[in-house]
Each structure stands twice: as C-alpha cells, then as structure tokens.
Coordinates of all heavy atoms in Angstrom, one line a residue:
M126 N 0.8 -1.2 0.0 CA 0.0 0.0 0.0 C 0.9 1.2 0.0 O 1.8 1.3 0.8 CB -0.9 0.0 1.3 CG -1.8 1.2 1.3 SD -2.7 1.2 2.9 CE -3.5 -0.4 2.9
E127 N 0.5 2.2 -0.8 CA 1.3 3.4 -0.9 C 0.6 4.5 -0.1 O -0.5 4.8 -0.3 CB 1.4 3.9 -2.3 CG 2.4 3.2 -3.2 CD 3.1 4.1 -4.1 OE1 3.9 5.0 -3.5 OE2 3.0 4.0 -5.3
I128 N 1.4 4.9 0.9 CA 0.9 6.0 1.8 C 1.9 7.1 1.8 O 3.0 6.9 2.2 CB 0.6 5.5 3.3 CG1 -0.4 4.3 3.3 CG2 0.2 6.6 4.2 CD1 -0.5 3.7 4.6
Y129 N 1.4 8.3 1.4 CA 2.3 9.4 1.6 C 1.5 10.7 1.6 O 0.3 10.7 1.2 CB 3.4 9.5 0.5 CG 2.9 9.5 -1.0 CD1 2.5 10.6 -1.6 CD2 2.8 8.3 -1.7 CE1 2.1 10.6 -2.9 CE2 2.4 8.2 -3.0 CZ 2.0 9.4 -3.6 OH 1.6 9.4 -4.9
C130 N 2.1 11.8 2.1 CA 1.4 13.1 2.2 C 1.0 13.6 0.8 O 1.8 13.7 -0.1 CB 2.3 14.1 2.9 SG 1.7 15.8 2.9
P131 N -0.3 13.9 0.6 CA -0.7 14.4 -0.7 C -0.1 15.8 -1.0 O -0.2 16.2 -2.1 CB -2.2 14.4 -0.6 CG -2.5 14.5 0.9 CD -1.4 13.8 1.6
K132 N 0.4 16.5 0.0 CA 1.0 17.8 -0.2 C 2.5 17.8 -0.5 O 3.0 18.5 -1.4 CB 0.6 18.7 0.9 CG -0.9 18.7 1.2 CD -1.4 20.1 1.4 CE -2.9 20.2 1.2 NZ -3.7 19.4 2.2
C133 N 3.2 17.0 0.2 CA 4.7 17.0 0.1 C 5.3 15.6 -0.2 O 6.5 15.5 -0.4 CB 5.4 17.6 1.3 SG 5.4 16.5 2.7
E134 N 4.4 14.6 -0.3 CA 4.8 13.3 -0.6 C 5.7 12.6 0.4 O 6.4 11.7 0.1 CB 5.4 13.2 -2.0 CG 4.5 13.7 -3.1 CD 5.0 13.5 -4.5 OE1 6.1 13.0 -4.7 OE2 4.2 13.8 -5.4
W135 N 5.7 13.1 1.6 CA 6.4 12.5 2.7 C 5.8 11.2 3.0 O 4.6 11.1 3.2 CB 6.4 13.4 3.9 CG 7.0 12.8 5.2 CD1 8.3 12.5 5.4 CD2 6.3 12.4 6.3 NE1 8.5 11.9 6.6 CE2 7.2 11.8 7.2 CE3 4.9 12.4 6.7 CZ2 6.9 11.3 8.5 CZ3 4.6 11.9 7.9 CH2 5.6 11.3 8.8
E136 N 6.6 10.1 3.1 CA 6.1 8.8 3.5 C 6.3 8.5 5.0 O 7.4 8.5 5.4 CB 6.8 7.7 2.7 CG 6.5 7.8 1.2 CD 7.2 6.6 0.5 OE1 7.2 5.5 1.0 OE2 7.7 6.9 -0.6
P137 N 5.2 8.4 5.7 CA 5.3 8.2 7.2 C 5.9 6.8 7.5 O 5.4 5.8 7.0 CB 3.9 8.3 7.7 CG 3.0 8.0 6.5 CD 3.8 8.5 5.3
P138 N 7.0 6.8 8.2 CA 7.6 5.5 8.6 C 6.7 4.8 9.6 O 5.9 5.4 10.2 CB 9.0 5.9 9.2 CG 8.8 7.3 9.7 CD 7.8 7.9 8.8
A139 N 7.0 3.5 9.8 CA 6.2 2.8 10.8 C 6.3 3.3 12.2 O 5.5 3.2 13.1 CB 6.6 1.3 10.8
S140 N 7.4 4.1 12.4 CA 7.7 4.6 13.8 C 7.0 6.0 14.0 O 7.1 6.5 15.1 CB 9.2 4.8 14.0 OG 9.7 5.6 13.0
A141 N 6.4 6.5 12.9 CA 5.8 7.8 13.1 C 4.6 7.7 14.1 O 3.9 6.7 14.2 CB 5.2 8.3 11.7
R142 N 4.4 8.8 14.8 CA 3.3 8.8 15.8 C 2.5 10.1 15.8 O 3.1 11.2 15.6 CB 3.9 8.7 17.3 CG 4.5 7.3 17.6 CD 3.5 6.2 17.7 NE 4.0 4.9 17.9 CZ 4.5 4.1 17.0 NH1 4.4 4.4 15.8 NH2 4.9 2.9 17.4
W143 N 1.2 9.9 15.9 CA 0.4 11.1 16.0 C -0.3 11.1 17.3 O -0.5 10.1 17.9 CB -0.7 11.0 14.9 CG -0.2 11.3 13.5 CD1 -0.4 12.5 12.8 CD2 0.5 10.5 12.6 NE1 0.2 12.4 11.6 CE2 0.7 11.2 11.4 CE3 1.0 9.2 12.7 CZ2 1.5 10.7 10.4 CZ3 1.7 8.7 11.7 CH2 2.0 9.4 10.5
S144 N -0.6 12.3 17.8 CA -1.2 12.4 19.1 C -2.6 12.8 19.0 O -3.1 13.6 18.3 CB -0.5 13.6 19.9 OG 0.9 13.2 20.2
C145 N -3.4 12.0 19.8 CA -4.9 12.3 19.9 C -5.1 13.3 20.9 O -4.3 13.6 21.8 CB -5.6 11.0 20.2 SG -7.4 11.2 20.3
S146 N -6.3 13.9 20.8 CA -6.7 14.9 21.9 C -6.9 14.3 23.2 O -6.9 14.9 24.3 CB -8.0 15.6 21.5 OG -9.0 14.6 21.1
C147 N -6.9 12.9 23.3 CA -7.0 12.2 24.6 C -5.6 12.0 25.2 O -5.5 11.5 26.3 CB -7.8 10.9 24.4 SG -6.8 9.6 23.7
G148 N -4.6 12.3 24.4 CA -3.2 12.2 25.0 C -2.5 11.0 24.4 O -1.3 10.8 24.6
H149 N -3.3 10.0 23.8 CA -2.6 8.8 23.3 C -1.9 9.1 22.0 O -2.3 10.0 21.3 CB -3.7 7.8 23.0 CG -3.2 6.5 22.6 ND1 -2.6 5.6 23.5 CD2 -3.3 5.8 21.4 CE1 -2.2 4.5 22.9 NE2 -2.6 4.6 21.6
S150 N -0.8 8.4 21.8 CA -0.1 8.6 20.5 C 0.1 7.2 19.9 O 0.4 6.3 20.6 CB 1.3 9.3 20.7 OG 2.1 8.5 21.5
W151 N -0.1 7.2 18.6 CA 0.0 5.9 17.8 C 0.2 6.3 16.4 O 0.2 7.4 16.0 CB -1.3 5.1 18.1 CG -2.4 5.6 17.1 CD1 -3.0 4.9 16.1 CD2 -3.2 6.8 17.2 NE1 -4.0 5.6 15.5 CE2 -4.1 6.8 16.1 CE3 -3.1 8.0 17.9 CZ2 -5.0 7.8 15.8 CZ3 -3.9 9.1 17.6 CH2 -4.9 9.0 16.6
N152 N 0.4 5.2 15.6 CA 0.6 5.4 14.1 C -0.8 5.4 13.5 O -1.5 4.4 13.5 CB 1.4 4.3 13.5 CG 1.7 4.6 12.1 OD1 0.9 5.1 11.3 ND2 2.9 4.3 11.6
T153 N -1.3 6.5 13.1 CA -2.6 6.7 12.6 C -3.0 5.9 11.4 O -4.1 5.5 11.1 CB -2.9 8.2 12.4 OG1 -4.3 8.4 12.2 CG2 -2.2 8.7 11.2
F154 N -1.9 5.5 10.7 CA -2.2 4.7 9.5 C -2.3 3.2 9.8 O -2.7 2.4 8.9 CB -1.1 4.9 8.4 CG -1.1 6.3 7.9 CD1 -0.2 7.2 8.4 CD2 -2.1 6.7 7.0 CE1 -0.3 8.6 7.9 CE2 -2.2 8.0 6.6 CZ -1.2 8.9 7.0
D155 N -2.1 2.8 11.0 CA -2.4 1.4 11.5 C -3.8 1.2 11.7 O -4.3 0.1 11.6 CB -1.6 1.1 12.8 CG -0.1 0.9 12.6 OD1 0.3 0.7 11.4 OD2 0.6 0.9 13.5
T156 N -4.6 2.3 11.9 CA -6.0 2.2 12.3 C -6.9 3.1 11.4 O -8.0 3.4 11.8 CB -6.1 2.7 13.8 OG1 -5.7 4.0 13.9 CG2 -5.3 1.8 14.7
Q157 N -6.4 3.5 10.2 CA -7.2 4.3 9.3 C -7.7 5.6 10.1 O -8.8 6.0 9.9 CB -8.4 3.6 8.7 CG -8.0 2.6 7.6 CD -7.4 1.3 8.2 OE1 -8.0 0.7 9.1 NE2 -6.3 0.9 7.7
G158 N -6.8 6.1 10.9 CA -7.2 7.4 11.5 C -8.0 7.3 12.8 O -8.3 8.4 13.4
Q159 N -8.2 6.1 13.3 CA -9.0 6.0 14.5 C -8.1 5.8 15.7 O -7.2 4.9 15.8 CB -10.0 4.9 14.4 CG -10.8 4.8 15.7 CD -12.0 3.7 15.6 OE1 -11.8 2.7 14.9 NE2 -13.1 4.0 16.2
C160 N -8.3 6.6 16.8 CA -7.5 6.5 18.0 C -7.9 5.2 18.7 O -9.0 4.9 19.0 CB -7.7 7.7 18.9 SG -7.0 7.5 20.5
P161 N -6.9 4.3 18.9 CA -7.2 3.0 19.5 C -7.5 3.2 21.0 O -8.1 2.2 21.6 CB -5.9 2.2 19.3 CG -4.8 3.3 19.2 CD -5.5 4.5 18.6
E162 N -7.2 4.3 21.6 CA -7.5 4.5 23.0 C -8.9 5.0 23.3 O -9.6 4.4 24.1 CB -6.5 5.5 23.5 CG -6.5 5.7 25.0 CD -6.0 4.4 25.7 OE1 -5.2 3.6 25.1 OE2 -6.3 4.3 26.9
C163 N -9.3 6.1 22.6 CA -10.7 6.6 22.9 C -11.6 6.4 21.8 O -12.8 6.7 21.9 CB -10.5 8.1 23.2 SG -10.1 9.1 21.8
G164 N -11.2 5.9 20.6 CA -12.1 5.6 19.5 C -12.4 6.8 18.6 O -13.1 6.6 17.6
K165 N -11.8 7.9 18.9 CA -12.0 9.1 18.0 C -11.5 8.9 16.6 O -10.4 8.4 16.5 CB -11.4 10.4 18.6 CG -11.5 11.6 17.7 CD -10.8 12.8 18.4 CE -10.7 14.0 17.5 NZ -12.0 14.6 17.1
V166 N -12.3 9.2 15.6 CA -11.8 9.0 14.2 C -11.3 10.4 13.7 O -12.0 11.4 13.7 CB -12.9 8.5 13.3 CG1 -12.5 8.5 11.8 CG2 -13.4 7.2 13.7
W167 N -10.0 10.4 13.3 CA -9.4 11.6 12.8 C -9.6 11.6 11.2 O -8.9 10.9 10.5 CB -8.0 11.7 13.2 CG -7.8 12.0 14.6 CD1 -7.9 11.1 15.6 CD2 -7.6 13.2 15.3 NE1 -7.8 11.7 16.9 CE2 -7.6 13.0 16.7 CE3 -7.5 14.6 14.8 CZ2 -7.5 14.1 17.6 CZ3 -7.3 15.6 15.7 CH2 -7.3 15.3 17.1
R168 N -10.5 12.4 10.7 CA -10.8 12.3 9.3 C -9.8 13.1 8.5 O -9.6 13.0 7.3 CB -12.2 12.9 9.0 CG -13.3 11.9 9.5 CD -14.6 12.6 9.5 NE -15.6 11.7 10.2 CZ -16.2 10.7 9.6 NH1 -15.9 10.3 8.4 NH2 -17.1 9.9 10.3
E169 N -9.0 14.0 9.2 CA -7.9 14.7 8.6 C -6.7 14.3 9.4 O -6.7 14.2 10.6 CB -8.1 16.2 8.6 CG -9.3 16.6 7.7 CD -9.2 18.0 7.2 OE1 -8.7 18.9 7.9 OE2 -9.6 18.2 6.0
T170 N -5.6 14.2 8.6 CA -4.3 13.8 9.2 C -3.3 14.9 8.9 O -3.1 15.3 7.8 CB -3.8 12.5 8.6 OG1 -4.8 11.5 9.0 CG2 -2.5 12.1 9.2
Q171 N -2.5 15.3 10.0 CA -1.5 16.3 9.8 C -0.2 15.7 9.4 O 0.2 14.7 10.0 CB -1.3 17.1 11.1 CG -0.3 18.3 10.9 CD -0.1 19.1 12.2 OE1 -0.2 18.6 13.2 NE2 0.3 20.3 12.0
C172 N 0.4 16.2 8.4 CA 1.7 15.7 7.9 C 2.8 16.1 9.0 O 2.8 17.2 9.4 CB 2.1 16.3 6.6 SG 3.7 15.8 6.0
L173 N 3.6 15.1 9.4 CA 4.6 15.5 10.4 C 5.8 16.2 9.8 O 6.6 16.8 10.5 CB 5.1 14.2 11.0 CG 4.1 13.3 11.8 CD1 4.7 12.2 12.5 CD2 3.3 14.2 12.7
Q174 N 5.8 16.3 8.4 CA 6.9 17.0 7.8 C 6.5 18.4 7.4 O 7.2 19.4 7.8 CB 7.4 16.2 6.6 CG 8.5 17.0 5.8 CD 9.3 16.1 4.9 OE1 10.2 15.3 5.2 NE2 8.9 16.2 3.6
C175 N 5.5 18.5 6.6 CA 5.1 19.9 6.1 C 4.0 20.5 7.0 O 3.7 21.7 6.8 CB 4.6 19.8 4.6 SG 3.0 19.0 4.4
K176 N 3.5 19.7 8.0 CA 2.6 20.3 9.0 C 1.2 20.6 8.4 O 0.4 21.3 9.1 CB 3.2 21.5 9.7 CG 4.6 21.3 10.3 CD 4.6 20.2 11.3 CE 6.0 20.1 12.0 NZ 6.1 18.9 12.8
K177 N 1.0 20.2 7.2 CA -0.3 20.6 6.6 C -1.3 19.4 6.8 O -0.9 18.2 6.9 CB -0.2 20.8 5.1 CG 0.7 22.1 4.8 CD 0.5 22.5 3.4 CE 1.2 23.9 3.1 NZ 2.5 23.7 2.5
W178 N -2.6 19.8 7.0 CA -3.6 18.8 7.2 C -4.2 18.4 5.9 O -4.5 19.2 5.0 CB -4.7 19.4 8.1 CG -4.3 19.6 9.5 CD1 -3.6 20.6 10.0 CD2 -4.5 18.7 10.6 NE1 -3.4 20.5 11.3 CE2 -4.0 19.4 11.7 CE3 -5.2 17.5 10.8 CZ2 -4.0 18.8 13.0 CZ3 -5.3 17.0 12.0 CH2 -4.7 17.6 13.1
S179 N -4.5 17.1 5.7 CA -5.1 16.5 4.5 C -6.1 15.5 5.0 O -6.0 14.8 6.0 CB -4.1 15.9 3.6 OG -3.1 16.8 3.2
P180 N -7.2 15.3 4.2 CA -8.2 14.3 4.5 C -7.4 12.9 4.6 O -6.5 12.7 3.7 CB -9.1 14.3 3.3 CG -9.1 15.7 2.8 CD -7.6 16.1 3.0
H181 N -7.8 12.1 5.6 CA -7.0 10.9 5.8 C -6.9 10.0 4.5 O -5.9 9.5 4.2 CB -7.6 10.1 7.0 CG -6.7 9.0 7.4 ND1 -5.6 9.2 8.2 CD2 -6.8 7.7 7.2 CE1 -5.1 8.0 8.4 NE2 -5.8 7.1 7.8
H182 N -8.1 9.9 3.8 CA -8.1 9.0 2.7 C -7.2 9.5 1.5 O -6.8 8.8 0.7 CB -9.5 8.8 2.2 CG -10.2 10.0 1.8 ND1 -10.2 10.5 0.5 CD2 -11.1 10.9 2.4 CE1 -10.9 11.6 0.4 NE2 -11.4 11.8 1.5
D183 N -6.9 10.8 1.6 CA -6.0 11.4 0.5 C -4.6 10.9 0.6 O -3.8 11.0 -0.3 CB -6.0 12.9 0.5 CG -7.2 13.5 -0.2 OD1 -8.1 12.7 -0.6 OD2 -7.3 14.7 -0.2
W184 N -4.2 10.3 1.8 CA -2.9 9.8 2.0 C -2.7 8.4 1.3 O -1.6 8.0 1.1 CB -2.6 9.6 3.5 CG -2.4 10.9 4.2 CD1 -3.3 11.9 4.4 CD2 -1.1 11.4 4.7 NE1 -2.7 12.9 5.1 CE2 -1.4 12.7 5.3 CE3 0.2 10.8 4.8 CZ2 -0.3 13.4 6.0 CZ3 1.2 11.6 5.4 CH2 0.9 12.8 6.0
Y185 N -3.8 7.8 1.0 CA -3.7 6.4 0.4 C -3.8 6.6 -1.1 O -4.7 7.2 -1.7 CB -4.9 5.6 0.8 CG -4.9 5.3 2.3 CD1 -5.5 6.2 3.2 CD2 -4.2 4.2 2.9 CE1 -5.5 6.0 4.6 CE2 -4.2 4.0 4.3 CZ -4.9 4.9 5.1 OH -4.9 4.7 6.5
H186 N -2.7 6.1 -1.8 CA -2.6 6.4 -3.2 C -2.8 5.2 -4.1 O -2.6 5.3 -5.3 CB -1.3 7.1 -3.5 CG -1.2 8.4 -2.8 ND1 -1.7 9.6 -3.4 CD2 -0.7 8.8 -1.6 CE1 -1.5 10.6 -2.5 NE2 -0.9 10.1 -1.4
D187 N -3.1 4.1 -3.6 CA -3.4 3.0 -4.5 C -4.8 2.4 -4.2 O -5.0 1.2 -4.5 CB -2.3 1.9 -4.5 CG -2.1 1.4 -3.1 OD1 -2.8 1.8 -2.1 OD2 -1.3 0.5 -2.9
Y188 N -5.6 3.2 -3.5 CA -7.0 2.7 -3.3 C -7.9 3.2 -4.4 O -7.7 4.3 -5.0 CB -7.5 3.4 -2.0 CG -7.3 2.6 -0.8 CD1 -6.5 1.4 -0.8 CD2 -7.8 3.0 0.5 CE1 -6.3 0.7 0.4 CE2 -7.6 2.3 1.6 CZ -6.8 1.1 1.6 OH -6.6 0.4 2.7
P189 N -8.8 2.4 -4.8 CA -9.8 2.9 -5.8 C -10.6 4.0 -5.1 O -10.7 4.1 -3.9 CB -10.6 1.6 -6.1 CG -10.5 0.8 -4.9 CD -9.1 1.0 -4.4
P190 N -11.3 4.8 -5.9 CA -12.2 5.8 -5.4 C -13.2 5.2 -4.4 O -13.7 4.1 -4.6 CB -12.9 6.4 -6.6 CG -12.0 6.1 -7.7 CD -11.3 4.8 -7.4
I191 N -13.3 5.9 -3.2 CA -14.2 5.4 -2.2 C -15.4 6.3 -2.0 O -15.5 7.4 -2.6 CB -13.5 5.2 -0.9 CG1 -12.7 6.4 -0.5 CG2 -12.5 4.0 -1.0 CD1 -12.0 6.3 0.8
D192 N -16.3 5.8 -1.2 CA -17.5 6.6 -0.9 C -17.2 7.9 -0.2 O -17.1 7.9 1.0 CB -18.5 5.7 -0.1 CG -19.9 6.4 0.0 OD1 -20.0 7.6 -0.4 OD2 -20.8 5.7 0.5
L193 N -17.1 9.0 -0.9 CA -16.7 10.2 -0.3 C -17.8 10.8 0.6 O -17.4 11.5 1.6 CB -16.4 11.3 -1.4 CG -15.1 11.0 -2.2 CD1 -14.9 12.1 -3.2 CD2 -13.9 11.0 -1.3
E194 N -19.0 10.5 0.4 CA -20.1 11.0 1.2 C -19.9 10.6 2.7 O -20.1 11.3 3.6 CB -21.4 10.6 0.7 CG -21.9 11.4 -0.5 CD -23.4 11.2 -0.7 OE1 -24.0 10.5 0.1 OE2 -23.9 11.7 -1.8
E195 N -19.5 9.3 2.8 CA -19.3 8.8 4.1 C -18.1 9.4 4.8 O -18.1 9.6 6.0 CB -19.2 7.3 4.0 CG -19.4 6.6 5.4 CD -19.4 5.1 5.2 OE1 -19.9 4.6 4.2 OE2 -18.8 4.4 6.1
I196 N -17.0 9.6 4.0 CA -15.8 10.1 4.6 C -15.8 11.6 4.9 O -15.3 12.0 5.9 CB -14.6 9.8 3.6 CG1 -14.5 8.3 3.4 CG2 -13.3 10.3 4.2 CD1 -14.2 7.5 4.6
T197 N -16.4 12.3 4.0 CA -16.3 13.8 4.1 C -17.4 14.5 4.9 O -17.4 15.7 5.0 CB -16.2 14.4 2.7 OG1 -17.4 14.1 2.0 CG2 -15.0 13.9 2.0
E198 N -18.3 13.7 5.4 CA -19.5 14.4 6.0 C -19.1 15.3 7.1 O -19.8 16.3 7.3 CB -20.5 13.3 6.5 CG -19.8 12.4 7.6 CD -20.8 11.3 8.0 OE1 -22.0 11.4 7.7 OE2 -20.4 10.3 8.6
E199 N -18.0 15.1 7.8 CA -17.7 16.0 8.9 C -16.5 16.9 8.6 O -16.0 17.6 9.4 CB -17.4 15.2 10.2 CG -18.6 14.6 10.7 CD -18.3 13.7 12.0 OE1 -17.2 13.9 12.5 OE2 -19.1 12.9 12.4
T200 N -16.0 16.9 7.4 CA -14.8 17.6 7.0 C -15.1 18.7 6.0 O -14.2 19.4 5.5 CB -13.7 16.7 6.5 OG1 -14.2 16.1 5.3 CG2 -13.3 15.7 7.5
A201 N -16.4 18.9 5.7 CA -16.8 19.9 4.7 C -16.7 21.3 5.3 O -17.7 22.0 5.4 CB -18.1 19.6 4.1
V202 N -15.5 21.7 5.6 CA -15.3 23.0 6.2 C -15.1 24.1 5.2 O -15.8 25.1 5.2 CB -14.1 22.9 7.2 CG1 -13.9 24.3 7.8 CG2 -14.3 21.9 8.2
E203 N -14.2 23.9 4.3 CA -13.9 24.9 3.3 C -14.9 25.0 2.2 O -15.3 26.0 1.7 CB -12.5 24.7 2.7 CG -11.4 24.9 3.8 CD -10.1 24.6 3.2 OE1 -9.9 24.8 2.0 OE2 -9.2 24.2 4.0
E204 N -15.4 23.8 1.8 CA -16.4 23.7 0.7 C -17.7 24.3 1.1 O -18.5 24.7 0.2 CB -16.5 22.3 0.2 CG -15.1 21.6 0.0 CD -14.7 21.6 -1.4 OE1 -15.5 21.8 -2.3 OE2 -13.5 21.4 -1.6
G205 N -18.1 24.1 2.3 CA -19.4 24.6 2.8 C -20.5 23.7 2.2 O -21.6 24.2 2.0
A206 N -20.2 22.5 1.9 CA -21.2 21.7 1.2 C -22.3 21.2 2.1 O -22.0 20.8 3.2 CB -20.5 20.5 0.5
Ligands
LIG397 ZN1 3.5 16.8 3.9
LIG398 ZN1 -7.8 9.3 21.6

C-alpha cells in the first residue's frame, strides 16, 4: 500500500506517531485514523513533515475511489457543502 502526504509526498515510517486529543499517541495509518485509545476518528491527518492537514483518505494512493459522502461528512469546512 502506498501511503504518503498528498501535499509534500512524505512517506510516514512505521515509527511515526500522531497524538490524539485524549493524549494517546499511535501510528494513525495502522488504524485508518482512529485512535485506539478513545475511539475518535481523525478524518484529517497532519503531515509530520510539512505540517499541513489533509483528508486521511487522500494519503492512500493505491486505493480505488471510495464513498466520499461517508468520509467527508464532517470535514466539509472549506467547501461549505
Ligand atoms: Zn506533507
Ligand atoms: Zn484518543
């Protein structure tokens, strides 16, 4: 599976860690963005290199198009959809 930042193409190593608002840190790509501690789903993921946020599914580059309605329902901030 190809996973890299859609903005700078940084590939997160297995040792990369993201922090949840609950304080837990884990590799978000192991769980498709869901915190294993509190169950919160992070629909956007911050790149640890360029610090920019991108929709979590945009990091996966060999997936076929998926049901965007289900994924983007809570992330339509800029589009105002
Ligand atoms: Zn990046
Ligand atoms: Zn959490």
Side-chain angles (χ1 to χ4, degrees):
M126 180 185 305
E127 282 220 65
I128 299 175
Y129 57 86
C130 173
K132 303 229 162 58
C133 74
E134 301 190 356
W135 173 72
E136 293 184 37
S140 60
R142 291 291 179 273
W143 283 258
S144 294
C145 180
S146 51
C147 75
H149 186 70
S150 66
W151 83 112
N152 187 323
T153 192
F154 294 103
D155 284 346
T156 59
Q157 284 80 50
Q159 182 172 32
C160 173
E162 188 67 22
C163 70
K165 176 181 169 69
V166 175
W167 291 79
R168 292 170 188 276
E169 295 207 323
T170 297
Q171 185 181 28
C172 176
L173 299 186
Q174 178 164 279
C175 71
K176 309 296 185 193
K177 295 197 173 100
W178 290 80
S179 303
H181 190 77
H182 62 86
D183 279 3
W184 286 70
Y185 299 90
H186 296 274
D187 57 358
Y188 270 4
I191 51 179
D192 188 351
L193 287 180
E194 283 196 3
E195 195 174 323
I196 300 295
T197 59
E198 58 185 346
E199 289 179 16
T200 60
V202 177
E203 293 176 29
E204 312 262 340

